[in-house]
Every structure is written in C-alpha cells, then in structure tokens.
Amino acid sequence: MERARPGRQEEGGRESLSHRCYLGAVWYLRAVAFVNFLAAVWVSFGNDLRRHNDDEFFTPYLLTAGFFSGSVSLFLAVTMRRRKRAAWILNLVLASLTLALASLALALPVYRQHAQNWFSVVLTALFVAALLGGRREFRAKGDRSNPKLAASVAAGGLLTVSLLATALVTATNTDPEAGHSTFLQRWHYGVLRMVSLAYDDIHFGSITTPSWANVLINIMGTALVLLVLYAAFRSRRVVDPMTGEDFGRLRVLLDRHGERDSLGYFALRRDKSVVWSPSRKSAVTYRVVSGVSLASGDPIGDPEAWPGAIDRWLSQAREHGWAPAVIGASEEGGTVYARHGLNALELGDEAIVDLAEFTLEGRAMRGVRQAYNRIERAGYTVRVSRHEDIPTGEMAELVRLADDWRDGDTERGFSMALGRLGDPEDGRCVMVLCHEGERPLGLLSFVPWGDDGLSLDLMRRDRDSENGLFEYMVLKLIQQADGFGVRQISLNFAMFRSVFERGSRLGAGPVLRLWRSLLSFFSRWWQIESLYRANAKYRPVWEPRYLLFEKSADLLRITVASARAEGFLEAPGPPKWLSRRT
C-alpha cells in the first residue's frame, strides 16, 4: 500500500489532492494490467473483449486483453509508482490521444448508442485527469542518455526480432502453398504476430503457423517493447564520485566524531558518493545499486547536522527515482532516519569486545582458551602493527596473499569492509599477522574507530592452517591492545543473532523455532549461524543494527541491491551496446 510522506497533509489540500491523483493513476495501470493478464489466460473473457473492438465498441486506455498489453501496462505502473517523469509524459500523450479519438468516435451515431463506449471514454478521461492532477508528483529524472539509447534499442531490436520472427514463420509454415508466400509477406506476418495473437487480425492465404510459434514471436515482441521502455525510463546510474576534497572533509569529521559509529571509517570507500548537509558538518555516503540509493551505517559528523544531510540525500533519491535505504544503522542513527519517514527493520547485531571487561577466565571461555593454547603450542607467532609501519614490499606481498586466500573471485563487503587493503592513505589501520616460522598463515586488518577503538575490516587465512587461528590472533591483539591505545574492538556482524539465541531457549515458540531452523538450513551456504557462533565465543556486547527503508514494496529491490553491493550476488553485465553512454 502506498504511504503519504510525512508532512504531506500539512502542506495543503492541493498537495494532498496531487498525491491522491498520483495513486489513482498508478492503481488504474495496475488494474488494467490485471485485467489484461486475466483475459490472456481466460480465453472466453479475452475473446469477448477483443470482439468489442472488432464490432462497434472500444475499451479504455491500454485494455486490449493479452500478455503484451498486460506486460506494458504493468511496467508502466511500476515506473509511474517510482514517479518517473518520462513515464508520466508517455502515458499522458498516449492516453490523451486515445481519449481524443474515442471522443471523436462518439460523434457518430453507430458508436454513441452503446453505453460501453461512453464508459470507456469516461474511464480514460478520469485517467488523464489523474495524470494532470498528479503532475507535481512525477519529478524523478532519468539518465540523459536514455532517449538516444531507447531509439538505438528500438531500431536494432526491431530489425533483429522481426528477422527472427520471419525465420520462424518460414520454418514453421504448414500451409500447402507455403512456397507461394514472399519474404515481405512472411516478414509482415511475423511483425503483426509480435503485436497480436488474435487469429482474425491477420489474413494471409499462404501462411499458417502453429500456436507455439505465434506465442514465441509475441513473447519476443513483448520483450523488445519492455526493453525499449526500460532503456527510456532508466534511473540515473552515473553518480558523481567523491573528490579529494570530499575525502579530506570526511576524514576531518571522522577525527572529530568517529567514536560515535564503529562503521564510520567505511564511509571512505571509493565506490561511494557523498551528500553534505547545508552546514558541511555532516554527510551521508551512499552508492546507487539496482535503482537503490544505498547508504550504510550512520551519517558522518555532528549529530545535530544529521537531519540536514539526510534531507538532502532523500531529496536526491526522489529526484532520480531511487529507492532510499540504509543498511547497518545503529539505534541512534536509525532513530534519526526514522524521523525522516523511513521504516526500521532489525538486521542483527554487531559484536563489540570491551577490553576493560574481557577475561579468559570461566567455563564459558573454555573453548577459546583451548584453541589459543593449541595454536600457541604449535609454535605460531603473531605480530601487530600499524599499516604505515609495514614496509612497502611486505605489504604488497600481504595483499597478494589476501587475494590468494580469498574464498572466491569477488571481494565481498560494503557496509563493513573497506575493500582496499594496503592503500597508503589508510596508514592508521592495524594489521594482525600470524606466522609459522617465516611463513604467513593468516591476517586480520582493522580500521580506526575513533581514538581508542578498532573495527574489523578483513580476515583471511591459509586454508591449510590450523582451526582456531582467528581466535588466537584476536586474543593476541587483545593482549597487545594497550600499546595501541585500544579500549574496544568491533568484530563481525551477526545477522539474525537474536533468532539463534532466543530460538534455542527453553519455551521458544513454534514460529521462532521454525525461523531458526530455516536460518540454520541456509547457513550451509551463507554462514549465518557460524558467524554468530564465532562472535559469541568472546562474550561480546551485542549492539543492534538496522535496515531503514521508505516503502515495504521496495524491500525486494533493496535486498537485491544489498546482496550485490556486499558481493553475494553478481548480476551479468549488460551488452556493450546497451550500456553505451553519451
């Protein structure tokens, strides 16, 4: 269900009416898409609708009974819901043209005598009125290259699909006099089948094709139209990257306020862009993925200036039709985001080790002690140092080893990973390196968290090394933390930690136990439970982290965008001709 933005009612009746018109236009397209798809699968109903247009009746805008018109109207409903200006213009032009032609037809007695035609004109007129009344809502801009790209896709796609359709018609023509048809006739037949499956619409005496071939041609035509519409309505993808001045200002803010959020340093990722508050005392860093403006962690800088940065970030997202979302916000940051109309969903918990309270004593730490002692007896050694104190040649070798030890080809992480081990600008990061003699076996890299904290960035180890190596390295870091002025360490993020914890307790309800079982099943591939167990060994303080989003309908897009940003999902790259830019 669509939800009005906060403050809309206070902005006056005109704005409220504009929003209602926006919703009316979107729901009209959704309803038409539903009826079109229903008519496509309900043969008798679809034939009744088609006979209306064959006789003396006509149907409202975009209602033509078929998968083709259903797919187009559904796509337009989606783009209109995202407030795309180009989609609004296209609908207004086509609907106005339909309304004008239908109104002229009503001047003829043969059409005027049928109530169905009056109903169609009224319904189309209401849709046009909703478009005009909601025009202020459709502000989302597309990419500047969209018109040229859409024209290229339409021209190249029409040529390719029409030739494929002609070849399919030639190969499947079952008419006894198939050889009498010309290439132009077969091409014409194929092009018409791209638009319509109605048998009465096309009459070629020497061409008869099976139903499956007609359906396949129609599917190709539908896919082409959707591809053209996609190219025409794409959101802006190229976002201005952060400049050297932006990085410098962010580092100044992190020096002043970096202790507030353990994820603050990850705002310096080079694949992010930045939106500043009017006072320049705060900023939101984000990345656009799959039409989602994805921010991570809390805003950077003075909390009193956070609202100004959030307002500008949300305004930019709405201007370009992006779905705004935040992953990994703390409770403090999530509260501020929620005041700006975003909804919160708890993702999991961050494990934070308070070194003043940490101890290896007690039965609960027995497993960690045993792992530590086993690795210690094996003769392993650990060295802890700042990145800036590691010689250049050695750092280059560590970067190579980290790549070799990585599980897969993709460097994962976005909200809690820096993604640039060994960069000279990250000299204050801390490296924990484990050796067996002269041979490196594992490394941990931590980024600064204010003046007295560290936040885990990267953990890699040789696959042939002993189990318990990471526990040994973490404990060695804790032992040497005073030498680096470290008082707290942020470890891995545990998704759905509370489900695993509460679901294993006595008296857990059936829903919670089922949810825990499902997560345990998926942990075979995504290490959900194992990360929780690995963190829980240190008896950490658990700090909740949240997902913020504007509309529930965007959750699927946000999930896909987050998975892509974190490196868990790789989308195949578009063809070069489709991604070409001006």
Side-chain angles (χ1 to χ4, degrees):
M1 180 177 179
E2 302 292 344
R3 178 175 55 84
R5 297 191 194 119
R8 182 170 296 276
Q9 294 297 329
E10 287 79 3
E11 291 175 358
R14 184 175 59 181
E15 286 297 319
S16 181
L17 176 61
S18 176
H19 187 68
R20 287 197 293 268
C21 289
Y22 153 76
L23 291 179
V26 172
W27 276 106
Y28 172 84
L29 291 171
R30 289 172 174 172
V32 166
F34 172 77
V35 175
N36 279 327
F37 285 130
L38 180 64
V41 297
W42 187 357
V43 178
S44 60
F45 178 54
N47 289 336
D48 287 340
L49 285 178
R50 294 186 189 98
R51 274 197 298 271
H52 274 226
N53 291 333
D54 290 340
D55 298 328
E56 297 170 354
F57 310 109
F58 45 81
T59 50
Y61 172 65
L62 279 181
L63 185 61
T64 61
F67 283 112
F68 178 86
S69 54
S71 300
V72 172
S73 52
L74 180 61
F75 186 92
L76 290 176
V78 172
T79 54
M80 290 281 283
R81 188 187 69 82
R82 297 176 186 174
R83 293 177 165 83
K84 298 294 183 68
R85 188 72 175 178
W88 177 83
I89 293 173
L90 177 64
N91 274 292
L92 182 62
V93 171
L94 294 181
S96 299
L97 182 60
T98 302
L99 178 61
L101 293 176
S103 299
L104 290 175
L106 286 180
L108 302 175
V110 68
Y111 288 103
R112 191 168 56 241
Q113 64 182 342
H114 300 295
Q116 295 96 322
N117 293 338
W118 287 96
F119 174 78
S120 297
V121 169
V122 170
L123 198 58
T124 304
L126 289 175
F127 178 67
V128 172
L131 290 175
L132 294 174
R135 63 188 182 279
R136 297 177 183 273
E137 298 288 327
F138 299 96
R139 300 183 296 267
K141 301 177 182 177
D143 198 287
R144 293 181 179 179
S145 63
N146 284 359
K148 183 179 292 187
L149 179 62
S152 301
V153 172
L158 180 60
L159 177 62
T160 302
V161 174
S162 64
L163 290 178
L164 288 174
T166 304
L168 189 59
V169 170
T170 302
T172 60
N173 191 359
T174 59
D175 191 276
E177 299 181 359
H180 295 162
S181 62
T182 64
F183 172 82
L184 186 60
Q185 287 177 322
R186 295 192 297 273
W187 179 85
H188 188 196
Y189 182 94
V191 169
L192 292 178
R193 284 298 185 204
M194 290 168 57
V195 179
S196 175
L197 285 174
Y199 289 98
D200 295 336
D201 295 344
I202 306 171
H203 302 283
F204 290 96
S206 57
I207 299 178
T208 303
T209 53
S211 298
W212 67 265
N214 297 333
V215 171
L216 182 58
I217 293 173
N218 189 255
I219 290 174
M220 290 191 297
T222 301
L224 173 60
V225 172
L226 294 179
L227 189 60
V228 172
L229 291 175
Y230 170 76
F233 301 150
R234 290 184 315 159
S235 299
R236 183 187 176 201
R237 292 186 171 187
V238 177
V239 183
D240 296 332
M242 285 195 281
T243 64
E245 181 182 359
D246 290 328
F247 279 109
R249 287 181 178 273
L250 287 174
R251 289 184 182 276
V252 170
L253 292 181
L254 288 171
D255 289 341
R256 295 175 181 173
H257 307 281
E259 74 283 352
R260 305 194 69 92
D261 186 12
S262 62
L263 307 186
Y265 198 86
F266 300 124
L268 299 175
R269 285 179 61 102
R270 291 201 171 89
D271 59 356
K272 290 185 175 182
S273 299
V274 62
V275 172
W276 294 95
S277 67
S279 64
R280 292 271 177 169
K281 293 182 179 180
S282 178
V284 172
T285 58
Y286 67 98
R287 177 182 167 192
V288 178
V289 185
S290 301
V292 176
S293 181
L294 194 62
S296 60
D298 297 343
I300 305 300
D302 186 352
E304 293 185 1
W306 286 2
I310 294 173
D311 280 335
R312 284 192 168 184
W313 170 66
L314 290 174
S315 296
Q316 182 197 61
R318 289 159 183 160
E319 179 184 359
H320 296 290
W322 300 326
V326 186
I327 53 174
S330 71
E331 188 166 1
E332 180 185 17
T335 300
V336 179
Y337 276 114
R339 291 172 185 162
H340 288 74
L342 299 187
N343 301 298
L345 182 67
E346 185 172 343
L347 279 179
D349 297 85
E350 177 188 11
I352 297 177
V353 178
D354 186 342
L355 302 191
E357 302 292 333
F358 181 80
T359 179
L360 271 176
E361 302 299 325
R363 183 177 180 84
M365 300 300 292
R366 180 181 177 184
V368 179
R369 287 197 307 271
Q370 290 177 340
Y372 177 87
N373 292 331
R374 184 178 67 253
I375 301 298
E376 183 88 357
R377 287 193 299 268
Y380 286 49
T381 59
V382 167
R383 188 180 84 225
V384 182
S385 57
R386 298 280 183 185
H387 283 203
E388 61 191 7
D389 297 328
I390 301 176
T392 304
E394 182 182 355
M395 179 59 80
E397 177 63 14
L398 292 178
V399 172
R400 186 191 68 79
L401 287 173
D403 289 338
D404 290 343
W405 294 337
R406 182 175 57 214
D407 184 14
D409 297 329
T410 303
E411 188 73 66
R412 292 180 177 175
F414 170 72
S415 58
M416 301 178 183
L418 197 57
R420 55 168 191 261
L421 181 66
D423 193 295
E425 294 187 6
D426 303 317
R428 300 302 295 166
C429 293
V430 171
M431 179 75 76
V432 183
L433 186 61
C434 185
H435 285 84
E436 182 185 29
E438 297 297 323
R439 177 189 170 200
L441 287 181
L443 62 85
L444 301 176
S445 182
F446 294 81
V447 300
W449 172 16
D451 295 329
D452 61 356
L454 295 176
S455 187
L456 180 62
D457 170 32
L458 190 70
M459 54 191 308
R460 300 279 166 79
R461 72 179 180 94
D462 192 314
R463 294 179 182 85
D464 297 327
S465 62
E466 293 282 344
N467 290 329
L469 187 70
F470 286 143
E471 289 88 338
Y472 180 69
M473 296 170 70
V474 170
L475 292 178
K476 283 294 186 181
L477 171 63
I478 292 174
Q479 293 173 5
Q480 302 179 39
D482 284 343
F484 296 88
V486 174
R487 300 289 180 267
Q488 54 186 348
I489 299 174
S490 170
L491 297 176
N492 281 312
F493 172 73
M495 289 189 66
F496 309 114
R497 192 270 311 179
S498 59
V499 176
F500 292 112
E501 185 171 289
R502 295 198 301 266
S504 60
R505 292 177 181 173
L506 181 66
V511 175
L512 187 59
R513 289 200 302 270
L514 176 61
W515 183 219
R516 182 178 182 272
S517 299
L518 287 174
L519 291 177
S520 298
F521 174 76
F522 287 114
S523 292
R524 300 177 183 180
W525 297 276
W526 293 323
Q527 299 181 335
I528 302 173
E529 186 173 10
S530 60
L531 276 177
Y532 159 62
R533 301 295 179 194
N535 289 318
K537 295 177 182 178
Y538 305 101
R539 313 290 289 179
V541 177
W542 295 105
E543 293 290 340
R545 290 281 172 173
Y546 299 88
L547 168 70
L548 282 303
F549 58 94
E550 190 173 38
K551 298 186 181 75
S552 299
D554 290 328
L555 278 176
L556 179 59
R557 291 174 65 198
I558 293 170
T559 301
V560 172
S562 300
R564 287 188 58 192
E566 297 286 358
F568 293 104
L569 179 65
E570 291 189 63
K576 293 182 178 180
W577 60 271
L578 182 58
S579 53
R580 188 172 51 200
R581 301 194 182 279
T582 55

